[in-house]
Amino acid sequence: MDLRRGKLLVLGAVFVMGSLLCGSPNLASANIVLKVQHKFAARERTLAELKAHDDRRHGRRLAAVDLPLGGNGSPTGTALYYTKIGIGTPSKDYYVQVDTGSDIMWVNCAGCDKCPTKSDLGVGLRLYDPNGSTTGTLLTCDQEFCVETFNPTSCKVGSICRYGVTYGDGSSSVGYFVEDNIQMDRASGNLQTTSMNGSVAFGCGATQSGQLGTSSQALDGILGFGQANSSLLSQLASAGKVKKMFAHCLDGTNGGGIFTIGELAQPKLNSTPLVSNQAHYNVILKAVEVGGDVLQLPTDVFSTDAGTTMVIDSGTTLAYLADELYSPLIEKVMAAQPDLKLHTVEEQFTCFKFTGNVDNGFPAVTFTFEDSLYMTVYPHEYLFQIRDAVWCVGWQNSGMQSKDGKEMNLLGDMVLSNKLVFYDLENQTIGWTKYNCSLSVKVRDQQSGAEYLIGSHDLSSASTLNRGWILTLLFLPVILQIYI
């Protein structure tokens, strides 16, 4: 069955960050703006491609910066993001994948082995050469960034600070760290930006393997926004340039949206604690209601005191539940329409024919988290249409194991669309509310105390593009190694 119908809605975005590490004196607590493009823009995607895409995505998950977004956050339109940034002096443009699942930023460098030379994404690729930039310098293993970030067990003074990162699909990038200027746009007023530079440490890719070396989805590198000390976000926060906070709002109704780094001034949100010492954004799920009825779940899944963990991840498209939660939830949802004939598409999706209004025909699902924060997911959000009158269920049986051997619960864009979600990493909380993502939000400039409007953006026309289907199947580990 060919599911490649309709049009792909392209996601674009604008990063707004607190400031950069170095540069002109007035950069402290500035807001930075990067335009971001949807990775699968302007080309048709097969189901197999999307399965592979989300497999790789789950090897690189976490979170990142401030973006007014473009496109659509629905299961039929969302994937990875990439942005164009300027690196070096003189500045040259590079296309890097915006990755909320990994930490370091790296770009392919001159002399790279097995680096792609062309991309099917319609972007021009180039290799970064630190020797071609008057501000580019190699970082050695005895320098502060390498010592404090990675604490290498052995280091010969003057040796380069090497890295190696292996993703869940087996692809890898190996190279060394450099420091150079990065050019971005900063928010300088309400819905206004000006250009600015700053110096950051990032990886210089010398060898690529697996999918990173192919041309089908090639970019110049990856821009990671994890919580580790090596991430751009952490570098900025540790330098006192930006608060370690960000928010996103994916507009699943009109397309586009907002993704902002820095303190969210308005609106104010209720929050729930993040689970400590976790690589991803885990929260404690206390109860689940379907159509107003509380699901009766096994005590080994939900204890009155402890609850169970749930990952909040805007880099995943669908929602994944451990079998002990998935099975009773699906049974209760489908009981609303007992006469439906269900069939399986591509051995993954439960689908059916339904001609009515799904919000009238199926129940809402409400998750309640620690500190009484709740999230309600309506039928039009957890069901998606693959063709006229044919709908598929977005809830998926996780079928994946976490490190402790237990299945994982995860809420992705299908659930998070049309909600403003705020990650406060300084206070280790996360909050959300239902929100019109075509509106603006206010972020606070930490130096002046001024509040600036950050608006919603749709950077790409989606009218002529093909829509594909997203499958997020496996949560795969990412391994970061530092070689000395």
Side-chain angles (χ1 to χ4, degrees):
M1 176 180 293
D2 186 359
L3 295 182
R4 294 170 292 165
R5 296 173 178 266
K7 299 174 181 178
L8 168 64
L9 297 179
V10 177
L11 282 178
V14 176
F15 284 90
V16 181
M17 305 195 309
S19 74
L20 291 178
L21 294 176
C22 303
S24 61
N26 63 349
L27 297 188
S29 300
N31 289 318
I32 303 163
V33 179
L34 295 177
K35 293 184 178 179
V36 176
Q37 179 76 22
H38 185 275
K39 183 172 182 179
F40 287 105
R43 72 187 192 93
E44 196 172 70
R45 298 173 291 170
T46 66
L47 197 59
E49 279 183 306
L50 290 164
K51 175 180 176 180
H53 145 64
D54 275 351
D55 284 351
R56 288 189 296 277
R57 183 67 182 89
H58 278 185
R60 309 192 278 264
R61 186 150 16 90
L62 265 186
V65 175
D66 178 27
L67 326 151
L69 297 173
N72 190 296
S74 72
T76 56
T78 321
L80 300 178
Y81 310 99
Y82 64 88
T83 187
K84 182 175 70 173
I85 61 173
I87 302 178
T89 306
S91 179
K92 296 180 180 179
D93 290 336
Y94 296 84
Y95 291 91
V96 290
Q97 177 181 314
V98 178
D99 186 3
T100 62
S102 62
D103 296 304
I104 68 169
M105 168 184 163
W106 60 263
V107 293
N108 295 322
C109 282
C112 176
D113 181 30
K114 298 181 180 178
C115 282
T117 57
K118 63 179 182 178
S119 174
D120 295 342
L121 299 177
V123 299
L125 302 181
R126 63 161 30 106
L127 299 176
Y128 168 76
D129 184 358
N131 294 322
S133 169
T134 59
T135 50
T137 59
L138 299 181
L139 294 180
T140 59
C141 62
D142 56 310
Q143 287 184 287
E144 183 178 4
F145 172 81
C146 200
V147 173
E148 293 191 357
T149 302
F150 305 111
N151 191 26
T153 56
S154 62
C155 171
K156 182 179 179 180
V157 175
S159 296
I160 59 176
C161 181
R162 297 182 180 273
Y163 78 89
V165 58
T166 300
Y167 298 109
D169 64 342
S171 61
S172 65
S173 174
V174 175
Y176 50 91
F177 281 102
V178 299
E179 185 173 354
D180 205 346
N181 282 344
I182 296 180
Q183 186 177 68
M184 302 177 182
D185 293 329
R186 70 180 182 95
S188 54
N190 288 335
L191 310 177
Q192 296 179 349
T193 63
T194 57
S195 181
M196 64 179 288
N197 292 328
S199 183
V200 296
F202 58 93
C204 194
T207 302
Q208 312 298 359
S209 69
Q211 290 293 326
L212 293 175
T214 66
S215 62
S216 60
Q217 300 175 10
L219 292 166
D220 291 317
I222 289 179
L223 183 57
F225 284 108
Q227 297 190 66
N229 292 338
S230 55
S231 73
L232 180 63
L233 178 62
S234 293
Q235 289 185 60
L236 296 174
S238 65
K241 305 296 185 178
V242 61
K243 286 202 168 185
K244 204 170 182 180
M245 304 172 177
F246 67 94
H248 60 71
C249 192
L250 300 176
D251 192 335
T253 304
N254 302 310
I258 301 169
F259 199 137
T260 178
I261 279 195
E263 183 178 0
L264 183 67
Q266 293 291 336
K268 300 292 186 181
L269 305 180
N270 294 327
S271 63
T272 187
L274 288 168
V275 180
S276 61
N277 301 318
Q278 297 293 313
H280 309 295
Y281 297 109
N282 291 51
V283 292
I284 298 298
L285 177 65
K286 304 292 285 188
V288 182
E289 297 180 18
V290 179
D293 297 330
V294 177
L295 286 184
Q296 300 302 313
L297 299 170
T299 55
D300 60 341
V301 177
F302 283 94
S303 66
T304 303
D305 296 328
T308 192
T309 59
M310 177 77 78
V311 176
I312 305 297
D313 179 34
S314 64
T316 297
T317 305
L318 302 174
Y320 291 82
L321 305 174
D323 185 68
E324 294 85 353
L325 176 54
Y326 170 83
S327 294
L329 184 146
I330 288 297
E331 181 179 358
K332 185 72 172 177
V333 166
M334 301 314 296
Q337 299 291 335
D339 296 328
L340 289 179
K341 294 181 179 180
L342 306 180
H343 63 278
T344 302
V345 175
E346 294 290 333
E347 301 180 353
Q348 299 296 330
F349 291 109
T350 299
C351 301
F352 53 87
K353 189 172 184 178
F354 188 79
T355 57
N357 184 319
V358 293
D359 283 331
N360 294 332
F362 295 87
V365 177
T366 298
F367 298 97
T368 301
F369 299 90
E370 192 172 358
D371 290 350
S372 301
L373 183 66
Y374 68 91
M375 179 182 292
T376 298
V377 188
Y378 296 96
H380 71 271
E381 295 172 321
Y382 68 73
L383 299 173
F384 62 95
Q385 194 170 8
I386 61 172
R387 61 176 181 268
D388 290 345
V390 178
W391 296 81
C392 294
V393 179
W395 303 115
Q396 301 292 297
N397 192 323
S398 62
M400 49 189 176
Q401 301 295 317
S402 62
K403 292 181 180 179
D404 60 4
K406 297 180 180 179
E407 292 180 301
M408 176 172 290
N409 299 307
L410 184 151
L411 301 180
D413 283 346
M414 177 190 80
V415 173
L416 302 178
S417 291
N418 300 316
K419 296 175 181 67
L420 177 62
V421 185
F422 177 50
Y423 304 72
D424 183 349
L425 305 185
E426 294 191 0
N427 296 299
Q428 287 294 290
T429 63
I430 183 173
W432 54 73
T433 188
K434 189 173 180 63
Y435 199 71
N436 182 347
C437 298
S438 64
L439 300 177
S440 299
V441 300
K442 283 187 177 182
V443 294
R444 181 171 290 110
D445 184 285
Q446 296 304 313
Q447 184 180 36
S448 67
E451 296 180 359
Y452 295 141
L453 284 173
I454 303 299
S456 174
H457 288 251
D458 188 357
L459 301 182
S460 304
S461 172
S463 61
T464 61
L465 305 180
N466 292 313
R467 177 180 294 170
W469 311 109
I470 299 293
L471 294 179
T472 307
L473 301 177
L474 298 177
F475 184 89
L476 298 172
V478 58
I479 304 169
L480 178 62
Q481 300 169 323
I482 302 302
Y483 304 102
I484 302 300

